[in-house]
Amino acid sequence: MKIAEVFLNQTNKRIDHPYDYRIPQQLESVIEAGIRVVVQFGIGNRRVEGFIISIKETTNFTGRIKEITEIIDSQPILNKEQIELCLWMKTTYCSLFYEALSYFTMSIQVKDETYYYKNLGSFDLNLKENWFLEHYYPKDQKTLRQKKVKPEDRVILVELVERKILAAKKRWRILSDPTAAETAGEISYHLTDLGREAIDSNKRMGKKQLELLKSLQNNDMMAADLKMLSAQFKKSLNPLILKNYVIEYEASPHQNAHNSSRFEKQRRSVVLTAHEQLNYKRYLELTKAKSGVFFHVFDGTSKYRLFFKAIEDQLKSGKSAVVIFPEVNMTFSRMEMFYKYFGDLVGVFHGQLTPKERTDLYRRVRDGELKVVIGVRTALFLPYQNLGLIIIDDDHDPSHISISTPRFHIADIAKKVSALMGATYLIADDTPRVATWYQIEKNEIAKIQIGVEQKLRQAIEIVDMQKEMHQGNMGILSRTLVKYLTTSLLHKRMGVLFINNKGYANSVLCRNCGHVEKCPQCGVALKYFNQDHSLHCHYCGYKKAVPIKCPKCNSEKIRHMGFGLDQLEEYLSKVLPDARIGIVQGAMNRTEIKKMNRAISDGEIDILIGTQVIIKHFNFTNVGVAAAVLIDRDLNQGNYQASETVYQTYSRFFVKAMDGTTKGLIQTHEPENETIYSIKNENFQEFYRGEIRYRQLMKYPPIVNMVSFSVFQKNEKEAENDAFSLYVAIKNELKMFGDGHTVYKPVRVGATKGGNITYQIVLKTLKAEVFQNLMPKIIKLGIIEALKSKVSVHIDL
């Protein structure tokens, strides 16, 4: 007798553990670890989807063991290492098994659907029933999916089932079956010689059409990839097909859709400069001793050539590679470079793929057709054949952090994948995360500097806004900044103003001396709550009333901090009425970004105001002044990572906007702030030393592990009661783990857009194992299950 250990697709953490199920003898030859099955569960024997993590010969369960009812997958969808990774994610991030599994199965999702079968026999049918059977069961069709029946016809369907003319049966269906994908080809596009001549001869055509032709210069591309260039690519492509500039063809299922054998191409070899060869030699030496290497990047071109060389060597060894970028928009701009070197071995994984396209890419990775995958963080969960290299670019970008449970940073997943699969992981950034640099200092990851740091920001001035107010200037902009903007306009150079606007600030400051109220225990800015005019620390719960007078200078000028883009634009229009002002913010689409970039390059914008979108999507060449309009709000967000975020964000802004002739300004009410001086001095080491001292003193990650429990629901009193119940339970259970950890009382942190009132409980522990052993006890006792509120967990490990 063979026994399968099965995790169930359900939402109760108390029963989220493997159950033993007997494998029917007729299924023993086809059932393996890594496939999904259907089982019966509970007293009512309800049908549940399950996932097999292992097969064994015996069981310790003394009761009657149920059988597996049916199988869903014809072959394993996860390999041994992926199953182990999934179990590790469940334990490490305190998630449900199926929450972790969803990252691996997003390309091959299943759905429980009802099918209807004709029963044998002769029946006396009325006109409606006869019409239904003829309409929905044409020719020799034997089954009918419920989804295919129109709502107005479902009354007849129910009657046919009640009369036993039709029999209903539930089945799990793979929404886009990878085995079915093999029977259908994918539409691909090839640039003809005539099309190449059209590019070279600069024949008149639209910008989008020219862009499409250029994108096909190095490799044939599928529709899935061209979507990244333009969602409406077909509209631009059709005229090119009519002119025979592009050929549309269907690649056979066993032929790579990116590069049909009809159109063979010569791939380039990676050629390194002498200095890059030294760096690469050093990289190879370090990978013999360490599985992880960090590139501290000061030369983006060299960084990519080293990426390509590392990938090239992996391919020569018969291994595959995955490259993770923060966002899809950033991925496409680099995709062409990968095609130049690796051609038909490249696949691109992103959220704009259709389910069929996503499944096709999954299959081609699983079958070893694609050896180089570029994409966002979810690309790491594809079923690679012999994975040898993981590259994570722009490590600091918050897009590398998952937004759903389990919450993780992709670099931590890469480290675990490296340990499980023997792959090297390579992290690159110009402004490293504090957590990454801490690992470098602890010798957990090796470091190589790529390029030479260029000091470009000696021209930055720090403007004290307190002095401005004392001298009678109560406006948004300092007189120094207005003067520089005026000079830039006279010299026909652009001004770029950065305001990291995410709504109004929730902290207060003294407009006289710049003092910001901070928690005496946690060192973060206190958060302002309007309902009781009080200040709170959302870590430890410290609370005080907003002072009437400043405790530092005794002034009564206590005010909210901050203003918005609209206010800034309105103020500029009054101060510089002739200036042409452009605004960039939020989730701009590709068309809007291109339009604004064109306006900038054509000199149609005098002053550009923007949020972080400036850093990611815009290029500047003629900037007279670049200014951080109000940095203080970001420094005082009440988050222990505020200084790190500010250093990374504002440093990148000034690198993007300034050259050797640009004037730079930082407007602030805290002119002596260490982070601001580190930005001005372009000194990461200076920033890191101050920041790590602060975190050691206040016991924040990466020095300790911090877990935040969010308890939320619409009823405030119940949310508060539930938060205190959970806090008491955690505190009581922590006693058995001894010293080295602290749990803080629940703190109200606000209301969500959906109207849920949220309370937060913070746990700090020196050992991650404490949390990982604590949570199963809390869950087993039924403490979370008994709460009326929902609970989410965020972990900084």
Side-chain angles (χ1 to χ4, degrees), residues 5 86 90 204 209 346 390 428 464 479 625 669 697 765:
E5 286 191 293
C86 192
K90 165 185 158 52
R204 290 187 65 183
Q209 290 181 332
V346 175
I390 305 163
D464 186 350
R479 287 169 297 182
V625 57
H669 293 274
L697 180 65
T765 176

Side-chain angles (χ1 to χ4, degrees), residues 73 182 219 224 257 343 371 392 435 471:
D73 302 301
E182 294 174 8
N219 211 77
K371 299 287 188 182
I392 299 172
Q471 294 169 4

Side-chain angles (χ1 to χ4, degrees), residues 411-591:
D412 298 324
I413 303 296
K415 185 177 180 180
K416 185 62 180 179
V417 171
S418 169
L420 290 172
M421 300 185 183
T424 298
Y425 67 99
L426 198 167
I427 299 173
D429 212 328
D430 53 356
T431 53
R433 289 189 298 142
V434 169
T436 301
W437 205 262
Y438 187 68
Q439 291 179 55
I440 292 169
E441 288 203 326
K442 289 177 67 179
N443 204 30
E444 293 177 4
I445 184 171
K447 176 182 75 72
I448 301 175
Q449 181 170 309
I450 308 300
V452 179
E453 185 175 6
Q454 299 292 323
K455 299 279 186 178
L456 296 173
R457 301 200 298 265
Q458 294 89 340
I460 284 185
E461 294 181 32
I462 298 173
V463 179
D464 186 350
M465 294 303 287
Q466 298 302 318
K467 287 183 179 178
E468 289 285 322
M469 287 190 290
H470 292 158
Q471 294 169 4
N473 177 17
M474 306 303 290
I476 295 171
L477 303 182
S478 64
R479 287 169 297 182
T480 304
L481 180 50
V482 172
K483 180 183 74 175
Y484 286 153
L485 286 170
T486 304
T487 304
S488 289
L489 287 171
L490 288 172
H491 291 89
K492 300 192 182 302
R493 301 188 73 187
M494 188 169 66
V496 182
L497 306 185
F498 181 67
I499 172 171
N500 195 19
N501 185 347
K502 293 181 180 177
Y504 280 84
N506 50 25
S507 55
V508 298
L509 85 160
C510 172
R511 294 289 296 272
N512 186 59
C513 71
H515 173 72
V516 176
E517 286 286 291
K518 295 188 177 181
C519 175
Q521 301 172 92
C522 302
V524 297
L526 295 175
K527 185 176 181 181
Y528 173 72
F529 280 83
N530 185 53
Q531 61 266 33
D532 60 355
H533 199 54
S534 63
L535 299 171
H536 297 231
C537 172
H538 72 264
Y539 288 138
C540 73
Y542 175 80
K543 178 180 177 180
K544 67 178 291 186
V546 175
I548 297 173
K549 293 184 177 181
C550 173
K552 187 174 180 181
C553 72
N554 211 35
S555 167
E556 295 182 357
K557 295 180 179 178
I558 303 293
R559 300 287 187 273
H560 292 149
M561 189 185 298
F563 46 82
L565 282 175
D566 292 342
Q567 291 164 289
L568 180 55
E569 182 187 19
E570 185 180 342
Y571 183 82
L572 274 169
S573 297
K574 292 177 181 177
V575 176
L576 299 167
D578 296 328
R580 296 168 297 174
I581 300 170
I583 294 181
V584 292
Q585 62 176 319
M588 298 178 71
N589 61 42
R590 200 175 291 115
T591 302

Side-chain angles (χ1 to χ4, degrees), residues 33-34 53 76 78-87 420-421:
I53 60 167
L78 269 66
N79 57 37
K80 180 183 175 183
E81 291 80 12
Q82 286 180 307
I83 293 172
E84 195 172 338
L85 176 62
C86 192
L87 290 167
L420 290 172
M421 300 185 183

